[in-house]
Amino acid sequence: MSARAAIRLTATGRVQGVGFRPGVFRLAEELGLAGSVQNTARGVVIELEGPPGAVRAFVARLPGSLPCLARLDGLREEPLAPAGRAGFAILPSEEGAGEGRALIPFDVATCPACLRELRDPADRRHRYPFINCTLCGPRYTIIESVPYDRPRTSMKKFPLCARCRREYEDPRDRRHHAQPNACPECGPRLTLTDPGGRPLGGDPLEGARERLRAGQVLAVRGVGGFHLAVDACSAAAVERLRRRKRRGGKPFAVLAPDLEAVRRLAAVSPAEAALLEGERRPIVLLGKRRPFALADGVAPGNPRVGAMLPHAPLHHLLVEGFAALVLTSGNLSEEPLARDNDEALQRLGGLADAFLLHDRDILMSCDDSVACVRPGRAGEDALSLVRRSRGYAPDPLPFPGGAACVLGVGGQQKNTFCLTRGERAFLSQHVGDLENLETEAHFRRCLAHLEGLLGVEPELVACDLHPDYLSTRLAEELVAARSGSRLVRVQHHHAHLGACLAEHELTGPALGLCLDGTGYGPDGTIWGGELLLGDLREVRRVARLRPFRLPGGEAAVREPWRTAAGALLEALGEGAPWGLLGPEAGRAELVARAAGRGVNSPWTSSLGRLFDAVSALLGLCRRQDYDAQAAVVLEAAAGSLPGPAWEPALRAGPGLLELDFAPMLRELVAGLGRGAPPEELAAGFHAWAVAGLARVCREARAAGAPGRVALSGGCCLNRRLEDGLAAALEADGFEVLLHRRVPANDGGLSLGQAAVAAARQGRR
Ligand code: ZN
Ligand code: ZN
Ligand code: FE
């Protein structure tokens, strides 16, 4: 007998629940190697025995023959004594596989092979809306507990038919251990009902498509919850949906059948195409083509449109033949997504004309993720996630040095929470705005579920400094209920900086340019235009936007004309030209006078609020009915116009530097007086903000701060601001840290809170 070699390989990374073991099996078989493969706590352990050449060939070829979702981070090799092994086996997972065991896979878009079968009239799954395989299909949304096996998913109530079972058990089959494997004979089914839950006759899918073509509103149960859908070309249908959903002017996202259809709506760069067609399938924000091919009501007054490609077979079938469908979350304005059939019929009964239901339960609801591509940036820096949910959660982020389990409960708006286990941070899906009982209940449910999946109980609970955030109160309650856990309060913008540092696996020191709408400052004022200097443990504020009064406090957020009154008062005093605020001029003068006396008018240094003020002054948006509307229309007006170059002014504030907006605002008011077009002034304002903030960073560096600056906060989703700032700072020799897989807005706060809390415990 010729010489035999034997080795043990330990593979780490994303190697479980992604078809890694069958891939190993097939490669070993092809090379005629004996041995085994097994999921363990240390990763996937592969034992090989056979001719030395074949063993070497296996090691060389493994990285190139991985399934598309797998990611090999490490491959350790140890020699073994040849023991005359015969055959190759996939061994049962090691019990208590801990860390390795519970890497919960995210929901994956339909793969090309399944898509071919879906469209093949000869295939037994032709047009079957729940087709999937080891490389695609629902994951996180159907898992009850770990390890990830069919009896612990919502597929347990569908016993496999003989043919599906053969596929499931055959390591040579693409559906080997595909937990949601199903077919029309044994798997989930669709039903179409009226709003009262009474089944409608005929083929459910065709009936649903018929209703969409007739302009009706359809509620669709998908992968992560319910959507409401209408034909995006029908102005009447879009209007009906807007009215029933009480949606105001907030843009709707659309589902397009394929990339070519998206290209008819928007210009699509290669990076955007890759994101649209990738396995995570977020909504991608794209520049609209003019004239817009869909109803204007889809994204009124917005230069961008959010588009996505189908992420599940049901959606491929539903959208066939349409230019696009509006696909918006199935809820009433700010409530969480409806998840169960009965719940949806009850909550969405008045919104939809028909319900396309199915019987595969959704255990964790997940909204669609939202992303955009930064023009002119390559690699990881090209991605900017606006909302991190389906397809991303709960894919972990690295969390170096972590040992204690930390929970970051997040903020108030766009809430997510973050749980750490070992050296990984698990950011939850988008939970929503924690402003009502439904969302609070949803938060508790998601937290309990993810704690269960990860098998952790937090020792440290980190929350915002804001005493009235619901998330803060939930954190206090959690700590009171669990002996041995401790509460750590983290200032809002420190958490923003922390999130950006953590995402880059850094601890600091760095400058943190934290630009957003509202964050509770330790001095009791509203922060939001801050330059922080520090690390994960602690920061100090080195600069801010010159503060101004916010007449009416919270009311100003919805009514930017109030914010404009406050900013005008600060820049021009009581004799400001109130008439610029049009129909609000009289009230503006009144609230400004009251603000001057300090009546219900907190101070703010928020850049987001200054965007609101300028938007209102230019007559673009004086009242907003969705988050950041005033800033969005201001950015749209500015476009890429050069605008006037107003010299930014700095001044010394109390122990810090201030970017003084008053001279800029006086220029802007003078421009309005001259009749300059608002677009030009909007461009001038953006250019001023970029130049001013970059100058503030330079001053800080000149005073000894490091040349590394993290950009964070919701204002960074303004492309002109963030792209401009990053370019200006890099041209000045700064190293710029941008958010990538973690949203720059409050959706990323929870990671920052966890990172700061861990660092203060000496863990990082
Ligand atoms: Zn597939
Ligand atoms: Zn079957
Ligand atoms: Fe914020």
Short mmCIF file of all heavy atoms in Angstrom, two decimals, residues 111 114 133 136, ligand 1:
data_model
loop_
_atom_site.label_atom_id
_atom_site.label_comp_id
_atom_site.label_asym_id
_atom_site.label_seq_id
_atom_site.Cartn_x
_atom_site.Cartn_y
_atom_site.Cartn_z
N CYS A 111 -31.14 31.88 -4.44
CA CYS A 111 -29.90 31.73 -5.21
C CYS A 111 -30.22 31.45 -6.68
O CYS A 111 -31.34 31.10 -7.02
CB CYS A 111 -29.05 30.61 -4.61
SG CYS A 111 -29.69 28.97 -4.98
N CYS A 114 -31.86 27.99 -7.46
CA CYS A 114 -33.28 27.88 -7.09
C CYS A 114 -34.15 28.70 -8.04
O CYS A 114 -35.26 28.31 -8.39
CB CYS A 114 -33.48 28.35 -5.65
SG CYS A 114 -32.94 27.15 -4.42
N CYS A 133 -32.67 26.43 -0.73
CA CYS A 133 -31.69 25.35 -0.61
C CYS A 133 -30.68 25.73 0.46
O CYS A 133 -30.87 26.72 1.17
CB CYS A 133 -31.01 25.09 -1.96
SG CYS A 133 -29.85 26.38 -2.47
N CYS A 136 -29.61 29.36 0.28
CA CYS A 136 -30.53 30.50 0.27
C CYS A 136 -31.75 30.19 1.11
O CYS A 136 -31.95 29.05 1.54
CB CYS A 136 -30.93 30.85 -1.16
SG CYS A 136 -32.06 29.67 -1.94
ZN ZN B 1 -31.10 28.15 -3.37
#
